[in-house]
């Protein structure tokens, strides 16, 4: 294989030593805390997870030397890329090797499918060293295959037995960690001796709770998008001629959009959770945008920026109902899948929807209606990244402005440009925060494995303090669960954390957005992520985290 060609920054980052919580730099002792309960539906979850329900919280503290047994572990990267994944692996590798150099780490290739299909590599020092502090998941690849059948669990157990693997670390979002917990329970029930540990990954920032302060990758991705938004704002402020409609990844939750707004102060920022709470229609959303555009035009400002969360459409109540109906309708629907033309599919869907949803569906531009019926992801979710909400809004806003113009109520000029930022940030070189956080998560996962734990998620807390004050431990995954309807059935799942309207980040935004919308100039230009330099420039966590911890 040809050696990787590295940029000067990559070469410099290869020797960056991520910071660890102080306790992890020494011998550690495992301290058990309170026994736990699921966030809701206690009896149902307890019945489904008789062996892994209610386990205590865990913290690692400085202590005496412990002789750990030999452990061979394997790691899986699951779902969308997030900056820092390689450092979880590096931390896991270093943790395992430090406790016993004979410990081995394998990587299953291409996501959870690698476990079932027995595709793997042994991760050696040479391989891991090549990927330290880099973005991407390409060390072993990722995938979205859902492991949910007994046959898949058994195939996994078979390869683990063959390789002598006694623990699997699944690095994933809420759905992947839910599956990790199901797998952990199954392996205990079958007495396989295989432990399963989860790790909180997703740029979306929606895997968080009291014990998981943030998912990794959110920090870096938001910083990359905010840099781009800032650059666009400077461009808009220079040429003064375009309204930029910027859709941001994040699936259902608007955390990314909110964080980018806090960092860049755009003229308008929509938050899906607020739209839902206000029971707003698409027309209400358009009116809100138009109001600001008209106001700025009255001051001669025919330009601006609008941030749109990619999941917006799912939070407009009428659209939400339509999507829910479509989800049920399209789950395993062979008739629909066999249809060849879009028109055939359109007619078929229209006929089966409730009268209200059928009307909403008919009124949508055809392109958007088609995007709503595209394949669901393996977890049954609409792939919101494929729905071009920014274009839908541009179309509706332009129509409304033309109407106002015809009545002499708007004298401005409306030229728009659409953007979608998602893939640009998911594999960025991790910020110092993400590099340190992920390395610590991986190292903590190694300790959980060596302590014989299963059904836990690696947790590193107190993240707004300097890294040496971070607290490392484990959280039982069942603690984060409740029952929800998926693919038409009630299932135990980790509850997604949406933006709380009574939370500090939203409150801050809501208190300032009027100033950001008006004619005074309040754009912020965050600039690119800095890896070297003063700590206030290089080591800051997200504004969301800072406000939440205030
Ligand atoms: P995860 O939840 O798996 O981390 O993925 C996040 C995400 O980037 C979402 O923001 C986005 O909607 C989706 O993945 C896109 O999926 P894909 O990578 O399959 O295009």
């Amino acid at each position: 294989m040809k050696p990787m060609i590295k940029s000067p920054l990559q070469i410099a980052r290869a020797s960056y030593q991520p910071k660890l919580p102080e306790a992890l730099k020494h011998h550690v002792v495992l301290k058990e805390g309170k026994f736990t309960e699921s966030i809701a539906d206690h009896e149902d979850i307890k019945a489904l997870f008789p062996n892994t329900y209610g386990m205590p919280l865990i913290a690692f503290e400085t202590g005496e030397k412990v002789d750990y047994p030999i452990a061979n572990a394997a790691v899986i990267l699951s779902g969308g890329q997030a900056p820092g994944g390689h450092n979880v692996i590096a931390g896991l590798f270093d943790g395992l090797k430090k406790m016993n150099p004979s410990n081995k780490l394998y990587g299953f290739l291409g996501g959870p499918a690698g476990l079932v299909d027995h595709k793997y590599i042994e991760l050696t020092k040479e391989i891991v060293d090549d990927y330290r502090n880099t973005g991407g998941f390409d060390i072993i690849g990722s995938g979205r295959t859902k492991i949910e059948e007994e046959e898949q669990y058994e195939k996994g157990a078979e390869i683990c037995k063959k390789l002598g693997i006694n623990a699997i670390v699944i690095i994933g979002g809420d759905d992947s960690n839910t599956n990790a917990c199901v797998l952990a329970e199954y392996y205990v029930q079958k007495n396989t001796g295989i432990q399963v540990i989860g790790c909180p990954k997703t740029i979306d920032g929606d895997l968080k709770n009291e014990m998981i302060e943030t998912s990794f990758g959110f920090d870096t991705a938001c910083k990359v998008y905010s840099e781009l938004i800032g650059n666009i704002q400077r461009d808009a402020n220079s040429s003064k001629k375009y309204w930029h409609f910027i859709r941001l990844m994040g699936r259902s939750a608007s955390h990314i959009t909110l964080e980018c707004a806090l960092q860049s102060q755009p003229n308008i920022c929509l938050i899906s959770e607020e739209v839902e709470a206000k029971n707003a229609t698409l027309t209400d959303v358009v009116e809100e945008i138009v109001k600001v555009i008209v106001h700025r035009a009255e001051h001669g400002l025919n330009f601006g920026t609008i941030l749109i969360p990619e999941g917006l459409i799912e939070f407009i109540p009428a659209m939400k109902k339509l999507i829910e109906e479509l989800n049920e309708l399209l789950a395993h629907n062979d008739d629909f899948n066999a249809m060849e033309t879009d028109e055939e599919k359109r007619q078929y869907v229209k006929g089966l929807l409730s009268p209200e949803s059928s009307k909403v569906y008919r009124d949508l531009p055809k392109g958007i209606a088609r995007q709503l019926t595209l394949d669901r992801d393996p977890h049954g979710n609409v792939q919101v990244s494929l729905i071009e909400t920014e274009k839908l809004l541009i179309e509706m806003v332009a129509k409304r402005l033309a109407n106002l113009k015809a009545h002499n109520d708007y004298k401005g000029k409306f030229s728009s440009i659409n953007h979608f930022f998602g893939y640009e940030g998911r594999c960025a070189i991790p910020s110092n925060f993400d590099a340190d956080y992920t390395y610590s998560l991986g190292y903590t996962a190694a300790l959980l494995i060596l302590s014989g734990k299963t059904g836990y998620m690696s947790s590193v807390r107190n993240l707004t303090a300097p890294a040496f004050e971070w607290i490392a431990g484990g959280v039982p995954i069942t603690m984060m669960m409740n029952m929800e309807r998926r693919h038409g059935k009630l299932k135990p799942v980790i509850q997604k954390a949406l933006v709380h309207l009574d939370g500090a980040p939203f409150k801050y935004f809501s208190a300032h957005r009027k100033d950001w919308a008006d004619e005074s100039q309040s754009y912020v230009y965050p600039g690119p992520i800095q890896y070297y330099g003063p700590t206030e420039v290089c080591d800051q966590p997200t504004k969301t985290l800072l406000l939440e911890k205030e």
Side-chain angles (χ1 to χ4, degrees), residues 78-82 144 172-174 176 201-204 206 225 249-252 256 310 377 382-386 420 422-423 426 496:
S78 182
Q81 286 70 253
R144 291 200 185 274
D174 51 342
S176 307
K201 168 235 70 163
T202 178
I203 60 161
D204 299 350
D206 57 3
Y225 305 142
M249 248 188 193
R251 218 187 272 285
S252 310
I256 291 183
E310 73 171 357
D377 73 9
V382 175
Q383 298 193 61
V384 278
S385 61
L386 304 178
F420 170 45
Y423 300 97
R426 297 201 314 184
K496 243 187 218 316

Side-chain angles (χ1 to χ4, degrees), residues 443-503:
Y443 200 96
T444 305
L447 290 171
L448 288 167
I449 292 169
L450 295 165
S451 312
K453 298 297 169 189
T454 192
Y456 276 83
M457 191 183 288
S458 174
S459 143
V460 175
R461 296 184 292 122
N462 201 26
L463 295 171
T464 49
F468 67 89
E469 290 176 23
W470 290 355
I471 301 163
V475 188
I477 301 179
T478 52
M479 186 186 176
M480 308 168 202
M481 288 186 162
N482 65 172
M483 301 296 288
E484 286 177 25
R485 234 180 142 66
R486 296 284 168 93
H487 274 305
K489 285 194 193 132
L490 262 186
K491 298 251 176 182
V493 292
I494 294 177
Q495 194 180 54
K496 243 187 218 316
L498 299 178
V499 168
H500 291 302
L501 301 184
D502 56 357

Side-chain angles (χ1 to χ4, degrees), residues 243 245 268 270 284-294 306 308 393 397:
W243 271 94
F245 285 62
I268 303 174
L270 304 172
D284 296 335
V285 173
V286 169
E287 278 309 310
E288 196 185 320
I289 297 173
V290 164
K291 212 165 66 193
V292 176
I293 295 179
V294 170
I306 306 181
I308 305 157
L393 289 176
V397 165

Side-chain angles (χ1 to χ4, degrees), residues 151-173:
E151 199 189 333
Q152 296 172 306
Y153 305 156
E154 287 299 331
K155 292 286 276 178
E158 192 183 306
I159 187 68
C160 287
K161 195 163 171 210
K162 185 172 156 211
L163 298 173
I165 291 170
N166 47 293
I168 304 172
V169 175
I170 299 185
I171 302 174

